[in-house]
Amino acid sequence: MRTSVRIWVVVGLSLALSAWTAAAVLSRAPALVVSLPAVGMIWLLVLLDSGYLLGRRWAHRRRRRVSRTQREAWAPAPEVRRPIDYPNILPRPAGDTPVDQQGRYRATGIRLAVLPALAVMCLTVQTVFLEHGGDLGLGFVLAECLLLVSMVWTVWTSQEPSQPWVTSRIRAELFRREMFLLLTAVGPYLGRTDQEAGQVRDARLSLLAAAGPAELASFARLADRDPDGTERPWQDAVWLRGDNGEPGTTAETAERMRTYLDYRIKRQGLFFELAAATCERTEARLGRTAKAAVLAAVAVAVAYAVLLHAGRTDDGPSTTSAVIALLAAGLPPLCNMTLAVQNLFASQRLAASYRETRRELLEHEHTLRRLLAGPADPEAALRFRSLAVRVESTLTEELRRWRIIVAKTEFEAGL
């Protein structure tokens, strides 16, 4: 959904809620009064969902502006040849947008984390502030039931909720990997002529475009599988084939080294550096929110206990004690909600994985720079192909770790 459409949806629902509230207050019709809390909860959930997705887009644009200087510093020099300028290399075909898939997954997870807290708040408001036999009190009870049914329904019907996001990113990364396998003439392209490499490329890209999760996992292996099930690792094939896998002259090999250094190793390193920093900021914010909610819950619980002890009269609870009771009931679910969102984002584990991959890519970058500074001979070309397989192995391992971290068989409603 486009940003403008999403904004108009929120505006339209806000106007509908205002009209519903005005009609309920003026007419005092039981049906309008009873349904008012449920309508308010629906509006709040839509506002939360749309607000997160709109805020996500704003945050993405802001990160792009903040990191512009850093990205420009990593930009390849104009004389470095682009990967798509080499023979047989095609740009990645258009496909799903990983950011959109991630946004939808996380928006649903956040909504599920909020639902229990809203249900507790509805019950507390009905118990503390409203009469048990009133229409508005009945409305808050029905709103609580609606929230709980929505939570159970979403959990039951959203099996493998992260699969679209996981499949989208894995397919995108494997498309990108295929381009650099062809550039360095390793893996399925080792020792192929240009015509043979083009035929292998077309066949593999067709399989990749239609592959499901199981096929993508098999496609990600850095080995060829024989009909009898045995695997021949690409790293071994580089050294067994030796100089027969040379993609061209020594000058062309040096040119491909520079392209691979700038467009594969350095660009991927920049991505992991920026992603790790983003994850660390998210983890810090969620951690501070959870700690603040815990401290506030403890303070409110102590204050509520003092009021209960000091206010034992026949006059009933005061407004202050009622508000404190509402906070005492609502803050623990709020803390639980923050922890659930923290678990959903898994920012700490993702940041650790990104930092480790960044460190390994720096080691590969130093190795390739030494190769470029050395003599351009067949031995250097052989070592370059071997290094390319190691780099792709590092990136494939990061992709495997990422899938393990983010993949979920079903959403967790709270903790």
Side-chain angles (χ1 to χ4, degrees):
M1 187 182 296
R2 291 182 300 178
T3 301
S4 58
V5 175
R6 196 175 296 279
I7 292 175
W8 279 113
V9 168
V10 173
V11 171
L13 285 176
S14 300
L15 293 175
L17 176 62
S18 300
W20 199 292
T21 304
V25 171
L26 295 176
S27 67
R28 297 186 181 275
L32 293 178
V33 175
V34 169
S35 58
L36 181 59
V39 174
M41 290 299 106
I42 293 174
W43 170 82
L44 187 59
L45 291 176
V46 172
L47 181 64
L48 175 68
D49 187 80
S50 298
Y52 167 73
L53 293 174
L54 291 173
R56 175 183 174 82
R57 294 183 182 181
W58 174 82
H60 178 70
R61 290 195 295 267
R62 181 179 179 276
R63 287 196 300 268
R64 295 282 296 180
R65 291 195 302 269
V66 171
S67 64
R68 182 180 295 124
T69 303
Q70 195 173 5
R71 287 184 286 108
E72 290 175 351
W74 283 79
E79 63 271 12
V80 177
R81 194 174 175 183
R82 298 181 305 169
I84 60 174
D85 294 335
Y86 288 88
N88 285 329
I89 296 181
L90 301 176
R92 182 174 66 87
D96 295 334
T97 304
V99 173
D100 291 341
Q101 297 287 358
Q102 183 193 66
R104 285 193 287 269
Y105 163 74
R106 286 183 170 174
T108 304
I110 291 173
R111 184 170 69 252
L112 278 174
V114 171
L115 285 175
L118 289 180
V120 171
M121 293 299 293
C122 286
L123 179 62
T124 306
V125 168
Q126 186 273 331
T127 303
V128 175
F129 292 97
L130 304 175
E131 297 179 1
H132 293 286
D135 292 334
L136 193 58
L138 177 60
F140 272 98
V141 173
L142 292 178
E144 179 195 6
C145 295
L146 176 64
L147 292 172
L148 295 177
V149 169
S150 174
M151 179 181 66
V152 174
W153 176 262
T154 303
V155 171
W156 282 358
T157 58
S158 299
Q159 299 300 309
E160 302 289 343
S162 60
Q163 182 171 304
W165 174 30
V166 170
T167 301
S168 180
R169 192 208 163 187
I170 290 178
R171 181 178 287 115
E173 295 294 345
L174 292 181
F175 269 126
R176 185 179 295 110
R177 188 186 78 174
E178 204 66 22
M179 177 173 64
F180 288 101
L181 292 177
L182 187 55
L183 172 72
T184 56
V186 296
Y189 306 103
L190 182 64
R192 306 276 187 180
T193 64
D194 286 347
Q195 182 178 1
E196 293 172 341
Q199 293 173 351
V200 173
R201 176 207 63 201
D202 293 340
R204 287 176 62 86
L205 291 183
S206 298
L207 289 174
L208 184 55
E215 291 81 5
L216 288 174
S218 177
F219 203 93
R221 291 192 180 95
L222 296 172
D224 295 319
R225 175 166 291 185
D226 293 329
D228 60 358
T230 59
E231 290 188 347
R232 292 178 287 110
W234 293 347
Q235 184 68 261
D236 296 344
V238 168
W239 295 102
L240 290 174
R241 187 176 293 270
D243 295 342
N244 295 329
E246 172 63 29
T249 63
T250 53
E252 183 182 357
T253 301
E255 188 177 40
R256 289 175 185 254
M257 286 183 185
R258 287 189 290 269
T259 299
Y260 193 77
L261 173 63
D262 284 351
Y263 283 90
R264 185 54 163 167
I265 299 179
K266 291 177 64 177
R267 277 198 170 182
Q268 287 294 140
L270 175 62
F271 166 79
F272 290 121
E273 183 177 345
L274 296 176
T278 300
C279 289
E280 289 167 352
R281 286 194 298 270
T282 301
E283 180 70 18
R285 291 167 184 166
L286 290 174
R288 287 194 296 268
T289 302
K291 293 174 183 177
V294 170
L295 293 176
V298 172
V300 169
V302 171
Y304 188 46
V306 171
L307 282 176
L308 289 178
H309 179 73
R312 294 176 179 174
T313 64
D314 296 333
D315 299 334
S318 65
T319 302
T320 302
S321 62
V323 171
I324 291 179
L326 178 64
L327 293 175
L331 282 174
L334 177 62
C335 178
N336 198 52
M337 178 193 72
T338 306
L339 294 176
V341 174
Q342 194 174 28
N343 181 60
L344 174 73
F345 278 66
S347 298
Q348 187 176 21
R349 287 173 288 169
L350 287 175
S353 177
Y354 293 155
R355 291 294 185 192
E356 176 64 19
T357 305
R358 173 79 178 100
R359 183 191 63 79
E360 294 179 16
L361 287 176
L362 279 176
E363 295 177 356
H364 297 321
E365 179 180 345
H366 295 329
T367 301
L368 186 51
R369 288 187 184 279
R370 288 196 297 269
L371 281 177
L372 282 168
D377 53 23
E379 177 66 22
L382 187 62
R383 293 170 62 191
F384 168 54
R385 290 197 301 275
S386 177
L387 174 64
V389 176
R390 295 200 302 274
V391 171
E392 300 307 326
S393 177
T394 294
L395 296 175
T396 303
E397 176 62 20
E398 183 279 325
L399 196 61
R400 187 187 70 85
R401 289 197 304 263
W402 173 84
R403 181 185 59 80
I404 293 173
I405 292 172
V406 305
K408 289 184 179 293
T409 56
E410 66 178 13
F411 279 116
E412 301 170 3
L415 294 177

